[in-house]
Every structure is written in structure tokens, then in C-alpha cells.
Amino acid sequence: ATQRHLIAEQQLRAFLIATGEKERLEKTTKPDAKDDATKYSLADFQKAFAAALANPAKEPELAANPSLRSALFLRNSDHVQWALKPRAGNLIERLAKLPDPSEELYLTILTRLPDTDEKDHLNEWLAKRGSNKAQALGDYVWALISSTEFFVNH
């Protein structure tokens, strides 16, 4: 099958499903900056992802067009960072409870099982950052979500 880059709307949907924040954002009709769980609405994410990842108007989204803007968005956006913090029912919270989160992590993010090297790398990563497993998992999830493999339809 031919690989093709996901368009901005598909990237957003994949991101929200993978992080486990889709339902929370759909339920949040009125964001509240004082409450972390309802800080953003789905409309906030749609606007941010479209601004950072969509091609310019009248330019077809037929091929991957990586840009500095999209890279900076994935690295620095408060929206992305918010979704990668442990919160009731989201991916980071679920992974932090598991003794070996590698299979759940790879199946959720990349829809495949990790190979032995990937399992070993994750376990080494977590061992080096043992005091804050949730933060370490958030960083690892960010790395996988920022990868080409995540944003390509196979």
C-alpha cells in the first residue's frame, strides 16, 4: 500500500484518540483556564492544529509538507504539552500504572507491537528517569507522536 501523509484534520483526530483526550475535549463546551481538565475545547485544538499543520489555502494536501511551523508546534504547543500530562483516563495515566507499558504504548500510538530493541529502549528510558514515570512516559509519547510513522497512513 502507498503511504500518504495525513491531512491536518486527520492528524488531530489521530492525536486526540492516541492521547485519550478526544472524549474530554468533545465534552468541554466552555473551556476554563483555571481547571486543567477543561482548559481546552475541541474547537481550540482544531484551530491550533489547522494553523500549524494545514497546507496554505488552495494548496492540495496530497503530499507531506513538513515545515518549521509544524515542528515547532509539536514541540512547543501548550495544546500538545497539555495532552501529554497524566489526567484521569488518558494515555499517560493508563501507561504510568503498568509495570511494562511498552506494548500498550506502541499499540496505542503506532498501532503495532514494539520490537525487542524498542522495548529495551523504553525500559532503559524509564529506568534513567525512574523518579517521575509519568513525565518520562509523556516525553516518550511525544517522541512517537512527533515521528513520521505516526502521521503517515499505511
Side-chain angles (χ1 to χ4, degrees):
T2 304
Q3 294 183 356
R4 61 184 171 83
H5 199 340
L6 301 178
I7 63 172
E9 293 85 2
Q10 292 169 322
Q11 291 179 17
L12 171 61
R13 182 176 168 79
F15 175 83
L16 294 178
I17 290 171
T19 59
E21 293 293 350
K22 184 176 180 285
E23 289 182 16
R24 183 186 327 274
L25 290 172
E26 289 174 340
K27 291 177 186 175
T28 303
T29 55
K30 188 173 181 184
D32 181 1
K34 295 176 186 174
D35 179 16
D36 186 60
T38 59
K39 184 175 181 179
Y40 296 108
S41 69
L42 181 57
D44 295 330
F45 268 76
Q46 289 169 333
K47 183 178 178 181
F49 269 67
L53 304 175
N55 287 353
K58 298 184 182 180
E59 187 175 312
E61 297 194 17
L62 302 175
N65 280 334
S67 67
L68 178 60
R69 180 183 70 211
S70 62
L72 289 173
F73 172 76
L74 289 172
R75 179 66 190 117
N76 298 315
S77 167
D78 189 50
H79 295 80
V80 173
Q81 298 304 316
W82 175 85
L84 298 178
K85 292 180 184 173
R87 203 171 287 104
N90 78 356
L91 176 64
I92 305 303
E93 191 240 6
R94 288 193 330 262
L95 294 174
K97 292 178 180 178
L98 298 173
D100 180 8
S102 59
E103 288 188 5
E104 175 79 14
L105 171 66
Y106 275 80
L107 283 171
T108 302
I109 302 293
L110 302 178
T111 64
R112 65 170 176 83
L113 290 169
D115 62 28
T116 305
D117 290 340
E118 290 167 334
K119 277 186 175 186
D120 292 344
H121 185 266
L122 176 59
N123 290 329
E124 289 172 21
W125 173 265
L126 293 175
K128 288 180 184 177
R129 291 151 184 83
S131 62
N132 193 347
K133 185 177 183 180
Q135 176 64 45
L137 285 165
D139 292 343
Y140 207 90
V141 167
W142 172 84
L144 292 179
I145 282 177
S146 298
S147 72
T148 301
E149 186 176 354
F150 181 73
F151 285 121
V152 172
N153 184 359
H154 301 282

